[in-house]
Amino acid sequence: MPVTPTSADAMTTLRRRTSEKWGVYSDDVLPMFVAEMDFPLAPAIRKALHEAIDLGDTGYVNPLDPGAREAFRDYAAAAWGWEPDIDRMGITTDVSVVIVESLRRLIEPGEGVVITPPIYPPFYDLIPEAGGAVVEVPLSDDGSSYALDLDGIDRALAAGAKGVLLCSPHNPVGLVHDRVTLEELSRVVARHDGFVVSDEIHAPLTHHGVEFTPYLTVSEEARAHGIAAESGSKAFNLAGLKTALFVSASDRMTDLIRSLPEEVTFRAGQFGLIATREGFAHSREWLDGTIAAVQGNADLLQSELDAHLPAVRLRRPSASYLAWLNMSALGWGDDPAVIAEQHARVALSSGPRFGRQGAGYARMNLACSPDTITEAVRRLASVTI
């Protein structure tokens, strides 16, 4: 059955929002930077949140309520053939907290953790926050596609790094790691008695026709040394509601979750727990429509670039709504997002913030209306410097 793409809210409605995407810039700027969607909330989430407000259900999260965990388990089973054990999950504020609290218990101060730039910029901060040191093993890049550099990760672990902070799917390039690659990663990590913390926040936004593989499903080694960070915040646009899940598949990692202070749980948001439950349980049709809209926008972006800005090369994503743009041929310097904002009034994410490999690149948010994509490209194409 054909999927009906989700439609973005009208610009007049969006301009009334006060979140980061809509509150940082003046109204003459098209905000296409931070990972927020321009789509309305899924109807089931909207309804449940209104009901909670009407009930005054605004207290602390109930750590015994399995609703969000069960909903995620059922979604994972349907989408990925994976049925994680809810008794091996924990609740917290967001994926960053899953990462930091896990790393604090997996490393000693000063020990190295591998990341694979270009990478989500907060990874550079979360590892030091946990007491560790960043070890960079850049993605391999043949000019048309990216991949994990498994040999490089092997060498980094042999040199003393203790584990890998994996971005799966990978932000900003939209890479969905295949099962064979993840299996080999698990063997490499196991050979060095290491660990993997897998940030899978973008996984529900894997594009139609592409298969996502949860890290904890690929091998016994992965289940033994892995912990996954899961959330509905990107899939259902819930970042401000603050809920994420620790997910484990071994006694070792389950013990890690159970060792956490109870405040790690109670800092989660009640509305976030409700919205996460409703998203995974009752908003899958909405999610399918959202993915269809994003894939349509990626097609449109490519055609608009071909027609009006052919010097810019799109690194086409296989997941999420973030487009990685090679703008180096424009001559706008290492950080073309600066020129885009100043001269085109289009706010993009700065490529160099994702690592040295981001020089000449910018990231564009495609979770918007087609008109926004068209307007952004036309504005960028009009720049003369």
Side-chain angles (χ1 to χ4, degrees), residues 78-140:
W80 308 320
W82 174 41
E83 193 168 332
D85 185 343
I86 66 170
D87 292 331
R88 293 187 181 275
M89 299 183 194
I91 298 166
T92 192
T93 316
D94 54 32
V95 160
S96 294
V97 173
V98 175
I99 291 168
V100 170
E101 294 297 338
S102 297
L103 291 179
R104 279 179 176 153
R105 287 154 181 81
L106 292 167
I107 60 173
E108 297 296 330
E111 290 184 333
V113 179
V114 172
I115 62 172
T116 55
I119 196 76
Y120 178 54
F123 277 19
Y124 285 99
D125 300 320
L126 299 177
I127 292 170
E129 182 181 345
V134 171
V135 177
E136 296 188 44
V137 179
L139 294 175
S140 64

Side-chain angles (χ1 to χ4, degrees), residues 285-372:
E285 183 177 349
W286 179 94
L287 180 59
D288 280 344
T290 295
I291 294 169
V294 169
Q295 290 186 256
N297 281 346
D299 291 338
L300 175 63
L301 175 60
Q302 185 65 72
S303 66
E304 287 291 309
L305 291 174
D306 290 345
H308 303 286
L309 206 56
V312 174
R313 202 161 133 242
L314 169 64
R315 303 297 293 257
R316 182 66 179 257
S318 295
S320 203
Y321 49 83
L322 306 169
W324 190 231
L325 301 176
N326 184 345
M327 306 177 76
S328 56
L330 294 176
W332 292 4
D334 285 349
D335 194 357
V338 173
I339 299 297
E341 190 271 320
Q342 291 178 348
H343 293 270
R345 309 306 283 159
V346 176
L348 306 174
S349 293
S350 163
R353 291 195 62 226
F354 296 82
R356 294 186 301 276
Q357 298 74 19
Y361 283 79
R363 194 189 72 179
M364 177 182 281
N365 184 331
L366 303 182
C368 57
S369 74
D371 288 346
T372 299

